[in-house]
Amino acid sequence: MFIYNWLYTFGKYLTIMGRVFSRPERMRMFFKKYVKEMQALGVDSIGIVLLISFFIGAVICIQMKINIESPWMPRWVAGYTTREIMLLEFSSSIMCLILAGKVGSNIASELGTMRVTQQIDALEIMGVNSAEYLILPKIAAMVTMMPFLVIFSSAMGIVGAYATAYIGHIMSPDDLTLGIQHAFVSWFLWMSVIKSLFFAFIIASVSSYCGYTVEGGSVEVGEASTSAVVTSSVLILFSDVFLTQLLS
């Protein structure tokens, strides 16, 4: 029974995505909604991304300095590990999990409310492809903005590490700089961006599906919002394992 329900849900998801990825009937209207969604889903998320990344970068640097410090270790190792953690995992994967909670619940609740108030039905009656009209701008905006959020997150994490050096005097700024510059592999940055593109698609498409297929009332909208966050998070974690193995 579980396998049947999973296959039915997956098939319904693919059907809706097939309707989503069709040519927009009015390109001008699409670009207008696309820009609006970039503001709502991407630009409005910059604040929380920068705030969390700053403190996580600071905490990672402190933990590395305190717990790895040894006469046998170079003094720059805390800066090196902070850079690697921010680039390889936090800014791409953990930050996307956080955004799945913020952005995913927003998308699911918005579309779910439109469904239960019959606004989507009204679009269908007027002959509008509601899946493409409502969901495609969200997916396109999320995929566009996520790499920028990842880069901002990595940069702010490094700023947080420098704050511990200059304000907290945890370590010398020169040692931190030496560690951040040591053996830098530019592919790690590209790998982080590539992973974020997949995660952005998962967040936007799964959350849109959960909201678009709501049946019932306000209670079901809340359940769809929760389901969107949980499902997106699980899929991000699963895909992170495969993408890391594939890209490394």
Side-chain angles (χ1 to χ4, degrees), residues 111-158:
L111 293 179
T113 301
M114 294 183 70
R115 171 64 74 182
V116 300
T117 56
Q118 300 181 343
Q119 297 180 51
I120 295 179
D121 296 334
L123 289 173
E124 297 285 353
I125 292 173
M126 290 188 293
V128 177
N129 181 356
S130 60
E132 176 270 316
Y133 179 76
L134 296 173
I135 299 176
L136 184 58
K138 297 182 185 298
I139 295 177
M142 198 66 188
V143 172
T144 302
M145 294 302 297
M146 187 63 80
F148 294 100
L149 295 177
V150 166
I151 294 172
F152 293 158
S153 173
S154 299
M156 187 53 66
I158 300 301

Side-chain angles (χ1 to χ4, degrees), residues 9 13 16-17 104 107-109 111-113 115 135 202-215 220-221 223-232:
T9 301
Y13 168 81
I16 292 177
M17 288 300 108
I107 293 174
S109 59
L111 293 179
T113 301
R115 171 64 74 182
I135 299 176
I202 290 173
I203 293 171
S205 63
V206 171
S207 301
S208 297
Y209 168 80
C210 292
Y212 188 82
T213 57
V214 166
E215 295 179 358
E220 284 73 19
V221 172
E223 292 175 352
S225 180
T226 302
S227 176
V229 175
V230 173
T231 306
S232 298

Side-chain angles (χ1 to χ4, degrees), residues 17-85:
M17 288 300 108
R19 292 179 56 199
V20 168
F21 291 102
S22 59
R23 187 179 184 278
E25 297 175 1
R26 296 183 179 180
M27 293 300 297
R28 183 177 179 181
M29 182 64 70
F30 168 76
F31 282 113
K32 184 177 179 180
K33 288 184 65 64
Y34 171 62
V35 173
K36 182 181 178 181
E37 295 296 345
M38 282 199 295
Q39 168 71 34
L41 303 179
V43 177
D44 291 349
S45 301
I46 291 177
I48 188 170
V49 168
L50 295 181
L51 181 66
I52 294 175
S53 300
F54 177 85
F55 287 105
I56 291 297
V59 170
I60 291 174
C61 186
I62 293 172
Q63 293 281 20
M64 294 299 104
K65 179 63 178 176
I66 292 176
N67 295 301
I68 299 184
E69 186 174 13
S70 167
W72 304 101
M73 288 283 189
R75 291 183 299 178
W76 46 259
V77 71
Y80 173 76
T81 53
T82 300
R83 184 199 72 198
E84 296 297 273
I85 292 173

Side-chain angles (χ1 to χ4, degrees), residues 77-105:
V77 71
Y80 173 76
T81 53
T82 300
R83 184 199 72 198
E84 296 297 273
I85 292 173
M86 292 299 299
L87 273 181
L88 291 175
E89 200 57 33
F90 179 81
S91 295
S92 61
S93 305
I94 307 303
M95 185 55 63
C96 287
L97 287 175
I98 296 171
L99 290 176
K102 178 186 181 298
V103 176
S105 60

